[in-house]
Amino acid sequence: MTKVLEVNELKTHFFTRDGVVKAVDGVSFSLEKGEILGLVGESGSGKTVTGFSLLGLVDAPGQIVGGTIQLNGENLVGLPEKKLRAKRGKNIAMIFQDPIATLNPLLTIRTQMSLALEAHARMNKREIESRCIDVLTKVGIPDPAARLDSYPHEFSGGMRQRVAIAITLLHSPGVIVADEPTTALDVSIQAQILSEMRSLARETGTAMIWISHDLATVSSLATRLLVMYAGKVVEEGPTAQVLKNPRHPYTRGLIDSLPAMAKPGEPLTQISGTTPSLLSLPPGCPFAPRCDRASEVCVQDPTPETNADRMWRCHHPMQEEEAVR
Amino acid sequence: MSLFFQVDQVTREFHPKISLGDKIASKLGARVETRSVKAVNNVSFQLEEGQTLGLVGESGCGKSTLGKLAAGILETSEGTVLLDQKPVMKDGKKTTTRIQTVFQDPFASLDPRMKVGEAVAEGPIANNLVSKADAIAYVKDWFARVGLDPDFTDRYPHQFSGGQRQRIAIARALAMQPDLLICDEPVASLDVSIQAQIINLFLQLRKDLNLTCLFISHDLSVVRHVSDRVAVMYLGKIVEEGETSAVFENPAHPYTKALLASVPKLVLDKDELVQFEAIEGEIPSPLSPPPGCYFAPRCPYVGEKCNQTNPPLETVGFERKAACFYIPADFEKANKQA
């Protein structure tokens, strides 16, 4: 399989007045053609900053301070803005959570899509129109030719997100980073978009990074799962294996705290405490203060352990209940 | 059994503001079209003491409006809301403190310039539930009960995390010693691990205080976990109501069925990915709902009658009501077996 994206020891830090916030602190992963990678974590875990870093969208006081991002073999870290711009939207694109904020309310969909197309390609009006209709059809917008001259407010929330997705598809990028793209949508609309994204990845070979706080949504889409906590990847592996047999206590806790995991009316298994402030992280494993398996050794940074295609970062991993088939 | 809480054929309409030009035109005899939205359309339900009713639906279905009507903080256009046979609202004013509400956003529901202890004490003092002298001890006691350090009463809201703020909001509602607690998406803005803590707190307090609850949420798994009964809303109407596990296991209304099928589920004992089915189409605009059943344009079971008449909410099984002319066959079968 061909690797389209390879991220190695990525570090994005924010230099604030109160100190250095290590929002992303040594994240590594790779992505193959047509693969959907799920990136889960709670607020403040660094999942969104990871996504932003991939597109070079981190603003001051944030900065990528280490690591590499290889997109089709070319390192994006340290690339001048002009060269990044030439890639953004063409080779790697992003879908954001809030489609109201991503679309310009004053411009028609046609204008916005033409601008995005003309940024990377020379096309005449007719070519532009046929390409726009093409991608709008792909994301399931009924009667796309007629909707081209509509303004964003004339679309419903779900349709607006489809338009935003269509714009990212204009140049058929190799990688799409989707940051909580269905969080603001209703379940019935979310289901429509999820199943369309899945078939898109299958048909076009576009690789996707699906960032979300919702384990259930990610697990229905992603073949591989990356669990983040306080700027670090604490567990990685094939989705079904990670869910069935998590090695890191945090992953276990996340799964167990879902209401679906308990009998109705019974108390849920909860993770005690709250996510630590990134400004004053505990020494060693950041999850240790909330972890019921923690011991003295946990004040030292756990080194990542690997087995087959799985990785976890814990001194006291959960036992493997059965051999990996 | 006496009826503890009753929402009886309640409707709430919202009218758009009429412009001055339109007002003059209508005075002069011109026909001005005013379009109103029935956010809640002829809804009835009852709650027995100690029971929790979950109210689910997608955005715009009217579940929050119904919550406000039930809480007596929004006036009904038609119909009445009764607590112990007495209306909860009279002449535009709330008549009882026995109903309290916890809202979704703990950042918006607390005054940023007021110490949280004062915010919790304000209501009970104003309603003579506690004297000013005893208020501090009273509030500290409530802080302890919701799992907050009693010494935190002198702090301001910005010094707390989202989960802690939601605990404060719960303490503030419960300090009024309500009999009915209305929770409008109380865990929607919280992280999963914090969400579990708040749900556990809610379950514990409900048991300790024998609270009756209306629990509004779009999250089906949360509602399934906390409710005894569940009501499903679509476009201002309740389309199905019944005992929680029965509704989830054996939905009668095609919308409930479709809604349940479209939720991504976490299945741990399978090696392949779980498939889910999407409902086709979108929720119609409440400004111009379709004639007949509102779900008809998206419904796979649609029949002739559906596009003409709106089906009434009728008893379709043991403690079960649904508003549908053509209830899918698999429901009836399972129902007879039970």
Side-chain angles (χ1 to χ4, degrees), chain B residues 85-131:
Chain B
Q85 317 289 342
K86 282 180 286 248
V88 298
M89 205 174 201
K90 212 176 171 187
D91 305 327
K93 279 204 178 129
K94 197 176 168 183
T95 58
T96 175
T97 60
R98 291 172 63 200
I99 306 176
Q100 292 296 322
T101 321
V102 177
F103 294 99
Q104 170 174 359
D105 187 358
F107 289 80
S109 57
L110 292 168
D111 184 341
R113 302 204 200 183
M114 200 180 210
K115 285 179 183 166
V116 292
E118 286 169 18
V120 174
E122 201 179 32
I125 293 175
N127 288 286
N128 296 321
L129 289 172
V130 63
S131 70

Side-chain angles (χ1 to χ4, degrees), chain A:
Chain A
M1 277 286 231
T2 39
K3 277 186 183 148
V4 284
L5 184 73
E6 212 169 351
V7 176
N8 199 15
E9 283 299 309
L10 178 69
K11 286 183 179 165
T12 305
H13 295 177
F14 288 78
F15 299 90
T16 69
R17 256 197 319 202
D18 301 326
V20 181
V21 173
K22 297 177 178 174
V24 178
D25 199 21
V27 166
S28 307
F29 60 87
S30 63
L31 199 62
E32 278 164 12
K33 198 168 183 280
E35 186 182 2
I36 303 181
L37 177 74
L39 188 55
V40 282
E42 298 184 282
S43 38
S45 61
K47 54 189 194 304
T48 297
V49 179
T50 303
F52 274 49
S53 303
L54 296 180
L55 280 95
L57 291 174
V58 180
D59 282 329
Q63 208 186 325
I64 298 179
V65 295
T68 54
I69 301 167
Q70 307 267 355
L71 181 67
N72 302 319
E74 189 183 358
N75 187 7
L76 300 184
V77 176
L79 221 58
E81 177 61 24
K82 215 176 157 189
K83 285 200 168 160
L84 263 181
R85 263 194 96 126
K87 306 237 171 275
R88 227 182 266 145
K90 189 165 185 237
N91 307 105
I92 183 166
M94 187 149 184
I95 308 167
F96 299 90
Q97 175 171 355
D98 185 1
I100 301 180
T102 22
L103 297 172
N104 188 329
L106 300 176
L107 303 177
T108 60
I109 300 305
R110 184 197 294 272
T111 316
Q112 299 191 45
M113 294 183 91
S114 325
L115 286 172
L117 266 177
E118 284 163 353
H120 299 294
R122 263 169 190 257
M123 288 174 124
N124 65 32
K125 268 192 168 166
R126 192 176 299 155
E127 285 167 341
I128 288 175
E129 183 166 321
S130 75
R131 180 70 187 143
C132 291
I133 292 174
D134 198 30
V135 288
L136 288 174
T137 315
K138 237 183 232 170
V139 296
I141 290 194
D143 200 3
R147 298 311 299 267
L148 263 181
D149 291 307
S150 306
Y151 288 90
H153 76 266
E154 295 174 80
F155 290 88
S156 69
M159 284 297 162
R160 237 179 257 147
Q161 192 61 297
R162 281 170 211 255
V163 171
I165 294 170
I167 291 177
T168 63
L169 295 177
L170 280 171
H171 294 285
S172 322
V175 179
I176 292 180
V177 181
D179 185 12
E180 304 260 12
T182 59
T183 309
L185 305 176
D186 280 318
V187 262
S188 69
I189 307 300
Q190 166 175 293
Q192 293 171 0
I193 289 191
L194 287 180
S195 61
E196 260 147 37
M197 292 309 274
R198 188 152 58 192
S199 51
L200 269 176
R202 212 169 280 158
E203 285 161 22
T204 60
T206 305
M208 268 184 240
I209 299 174
W210 195 270
I211 303 172
S212 176
H213 70 286
D214 184 355
L215 260 180
T217 310
V218 175
S219 68
S220 63
L221 198 63
T223 44
R224 238 152 31 93
L225 211 56
L226 224 63
V227 183
M228 280 190 81
Y229 188 79
K232 289 198 162 77
V233 177
V234 294
E235 178 152 11
E236 189 195 338
T239 306
Q241 283 183 34
V242 172
L243 293 178
K244 195 171 168 185
N245 188 10
R247 302 301 303 264
H248 199 284
Y250 176 64
T251 317
R252 172 89 267 165
L254 266 190
I255 296 169
D256 286 347
S257 60
L258 293 174
M261 292 296 120
K263 266 192 193 151
E266 298 284 314
L268 303 173
T269 320
Q270 62 184 47
I271 305 176
S272 58
T274 50
T275 9
S277 155
L278 290 173
L279 276 167
S280 54
L281 280 179
C285 172
F287 186 61
R290 304 176 73 184
C291 183
D292 49 12
R293 299 166 79 91
S295 71
E296 297 100 51
V297 68
C298 296
V299 295
Q300 275 153 36
D301 226 344
T303 44
E305 284 179 60
T306 50
N307 182 2
D309 45 3
R310 296 191 59 179
M311 186 283 286
W312 58 93
R313 204 183 283 261
C314 179
H315 290 294
H316 306 290
M318 318 294 291
Q319 285 309 306
E320 204 158 346
E321 283 156 6
E322 45 185 39
V324 178
R325 270 163 286 174

